[in-house]
Every structure is written in C-alpha cells, then in structure tokens.
Amino acid sequence: MNAMSDEVDRRRRNLLRAAAMVAAAAPLGMLLPARAQTAKPVAIKPGTNVSFGPLKKIDAGLLNVVFAEAGPADGPPVILLHGWPYDIHSFVDVAPMLASAGYRVLVPSLRGYGATRFLSAESFRNGQPAALANDLVDFMNALKIEKAILAGFDWGARTADIVAAAWPDRVKGLVSVSGYLIGSQEAGKKPLPPRAELEWWYQFYFATERGRLGYEKNRNDFNRLIWQLASPKWKFDEATFARSAASFDNPDHVDIVIHNYRWRLGLADGERKYDELEKRLATGPEIGVPTITLEGDANGAPHPPPSAYATKFTGRYEHRLIAGGIGHNLPQEAPAAFVQAIVDVAAA
C-alpha cells in the first residue's frame, strides 16, 4: 500500500509540474477568454434607464465630442452611433447591458447634437456623410482605439458602414440597422417611384428656405412627428422624447441637418478634402468585416429591402428581422435584440 501511494503521489506531482509548464508557455488569451466572450448581458426591459450619468468630453479632429462611457476600460470597445432626429438616449438601455457583459461602451453625440461643439467658429457646418465618418475615425484616434465594433442606425448606421468600407482595419465587426446605407450625390439625383418619393417628403421640405426656417422654428414638433411616423407602434412618452429633444438645441443642429439633406440631392456642396473618399463611396464599395444587419418589422422610415444589399457584405454576414412592432429607433425599442447582435458579431 505504501509503495502504491508513493507511485500515485509521484505521478500527481509530474502532472502538476507539466500543467504548470504549459500554463507558463501559453498566451494569456488562451487561458483567460475575454469577458465579453464569457459573460452574458444582463437583460433590461426597454425604457428601464433614463440617463447615462456624467458624460465625458474629448477633443477629436474638428470637434470637442461629448460622449457617454460604460463598462470596463480594458473591455473590447463598442461604439454606438445615433441618427436623426435622435441622440445618445437611443442607447440608454443598450449601454448598461453591454457593460454588464464586459464591453467598453462609447456613445458619442454626433456633430450638431447634444453638447458636442466645433473647436473653431470658422469650421464649415458640414453634414455630408464623409465628414461624419471622419469624425468617427478622429474620435477613435483621440481615445487611442485601434479597432472597435461599430453599431448604429439611421445616420449612425451610414457612418458605421462608411468606416467599415473605407477603414476596415479599424472595425472588428459591424451591426447596421437597415443594412447598407452608403450612397452618393449622383445616386441621389435619380428619381424614385412616386410612393418612395413620398416617404422622403422632409428631404424636399428641407431643400427650401421655408423648410429650413420651419425646422428651426418647430424642430421639436417636427422631430416628434418623425418619431411617430418612423416608429408607428412605439408608444414613447413625453419624458422619453424630451430627453432626446434637449440634444436638438445644439447651435449647429439646424445647419448640420439641412446641409446633410441638401447635399444628398446635390443642392449643396461638400468640402473638397472629402472628394477622394466620396469618389470611393460612389462606387458602392463592399464591406468585408463580420456584419449583422437588423430591421424592425414596423419601420415606418424609408429603408431598402434586405435583398437589395445582401451582396454588399462579403465577410461573415447575417440579416435579422426583429418582430414585435419594432420601428426605426431599433436600439431603444428592442435593446436586447440590438445587444445580442453586437455580442454575436463580436464572436464571429
């Protein structure tokens, strides 16, 4: 019995010694998977949260960007991008869910929204998509983020699409509501069928000086109407709208919005420094990073069918239809589905 015990102890010591040698030689990542790969997001009912707490700010390119941040500083970075007429509160439930899974979550206010400001009064208040995409790259550079998951809707989805196409080395994965939204002025000149043109009524309104003045004077009523039309089954309350409406008081908001829509129709010039990028975007470049596109089953805003853009995504790709009366503001209306797409694309 003693000899057998000694032999068992010897083998056990040899196994432990071998395990210790393997552990010392193995990369840390093989032994300790990233938190985002092992932690499950804590489920949150839509509308649970009303604020992010104290916001941060950083000089990035032309802007002093104000942004929300949540989650561990060393977590995999995820940048969430809002659209018009919305703001960072579209992600007020998404951010804590991602943070609970170990992600570093960053939610910037775009140029013309919230407390984000131009550093110079001389800067052109440019709303063209290429300018917003450059803002995102500048934001990443300022925070020393080499690569991030990008996720957004409306203008935010378009911005994320552009960065994924033009700077794929900066994008780990993409979640884009309504899919591939990269366009050009040339494409914007082509007429659509009458019913489709009707959906873009506000674009034509903004093309007139009457429309500019009307938006400046009635921006809250105007944007509340857009919310109702774009998400006809979303029963948001006045407090929810008011939190986002505060972002429309930005002194550059009207200029940015009007320029964005006039530029799309070729009625306003952009800046020459973006010409080369715009030429590339006009070719409809493919996106090769892992991507999940989403669409709500009750999106009342203009949006292309998934079949129109599926071939634009040449990497690992999946499209998901989110049911339950979900409209255009998908992250705020269905935060769990939006978070799940981010977690899944991160694992691709």
Side-chain angles (χ1 to χ4, degrees):
M1 291 291 291
N2 289 340
M4 185 176 295
S5 296
D6 290 344
E7 178 63 18
V8 170
D9 288 342
R10 184 183 66 80
R11 291 180 180 178
R12 185 177 295 150
R13 286 194 299 270
N14 287 340
L15 286 171
L16 290 173
R17 187 179 301 112
M21 291 174 66
V22 171
L28 184 60
M30 293 175 61
L31 298 173
L32 298 175
R35 270 174 292 183
Q37 295 175 317
T38 58
K40 184 178 180 180
V42 175
I44 292 177
K45 181 181 177 182
T48 296
N49 295 290
V50 298
S51 71
F52 290 99
L55 301 180
K56 299 182 178 181
K57 60 176 61 178
I58 191 169
D59 288 348
L62 300 174
L63 305 171
N64 177 258
V65 179
V66 171
F67 63 100
E69 183 169 7
D74 62 346
V78 178
I79 301 177
L80 307 176
L81 301 161
H82 68 83
W84 172 84
Y86 305 92
D87 82 325
I88 62 174
H89 287 90
S90 290
F91 305 105
V92 74
D93 289 324
V94 168
M97 292 174 70
L98 288 170
S100 72
Y103 292 92
R104 180 188 182 190
V105 187
L106 303 150
V107 194
S109 285
L110 305 185
R111 58 169 60 190
Y113 294 81
T116 291
R117 297 289 187 272
F118 284 89
L119 294 172
S120 171
E122 305 304 317
S123 293
F124 177 39
R125 272 43 179 176
N126 184 352
Q128 78 182 106
L132 274 73
N134 271 269
D135 288 347
L136 175 54
V137 175
D138 288 337
F139 180 66
M140 293 176 67
N141 289 342
L143 290 170
K144 296 181 171 56
I145 294 174
E146 289 299 320
K147 204 164 191 173
I149 295 169
L150 306 182
F153 73 107
D154 198 83
W155 289 20
R158 181 176 294 107
T159 298
D161 286 350
I162 292 173
V163 174
W167 293 275
D169 57 313
R170 306 299 299 272
V171 183
K172 177 175 172 30
L174 172 68
V175 173
S176 179
V177 177
S178 297
Y180 187 90
L181 299 178
I182 297 174
S184 67
Q185 284 186 320
E186 196 59 36
K189 294 176 183 178
K190 298 177 181 178
L192 301 172
R195 185 172 295 278
E197 295 281 25
L198 177 63
E199 293 180 335
W200 286 106
W201 63 272
Y202 52 87
Q203 183 171 246
F204 302 113
Y205 182 65
F206 288 160
T208 69
E209 188 57 23
R210 175 190 175 100
R212 188 193 192 287
L213 293 172
Y215 186 62
E216 185 167 27
K217 180 180 179 181
N218 304 306
R219 72 186 78 172
N220 282 358
D221 288 341
F222 193 102
N223 291 339
R224 186 184 291 102
L225 174 62
I226 295 295
W227 279 34
Q228 292 165 344
L229 295 174
S231 298
K233 297 187 178 182
W234 183 32
K235 305 305 179 184
F236 61 89
D237 58 25
E238 187 57 31
T240 298
F241 177 77
R243 282 190 289 272
S244 290
S247 288
F248 312 146
D249 291 333
N250 184 297
D252 301 311
H253 179 75
V254 174
D255 288 341
I256 296 295
V257 171
I258 297 300
H259 183 264
N260 177 282
Y261 287 103
R262 289 183 180 180
W263 181 90
R264 295 193 203 187
L265 294 178
L267 301 177
D269 289 332
E271 293 180 86
R272 300 285 73 83
K273 63 183 178 181
Y274 300 125
D275 283 356
E276 189 58 36
L277 176 56
E278 292 293 359
K279 287 179 183 177
R280 292 172 60 192
L281 299 177
T283 67
E286 295 175 338
I287 294 175
V289 305
T291 300
I292 294 176
T293 57
L294 303 173
E295 192 61 81
D297 65 343
N299 186 1
H303 61 279
S307 59
Y309 54 72
T311 58
K312 288 295 185 180
F313 300 100
T314 58
R316 294 186 64 176
Y317 172 70
E318 180 185 347
H319 177 76
R320 298 176 182 177
L321 178 67
I322 309 305
I326 305 304
H328 190 58
N329 186 3
L330 194 150
Q332 197 163 0
E333 297 176 59
F338 194 78
V339 167
Q340 190 60 55
I342 292 171
V343 171
D344 291 344
V345 87

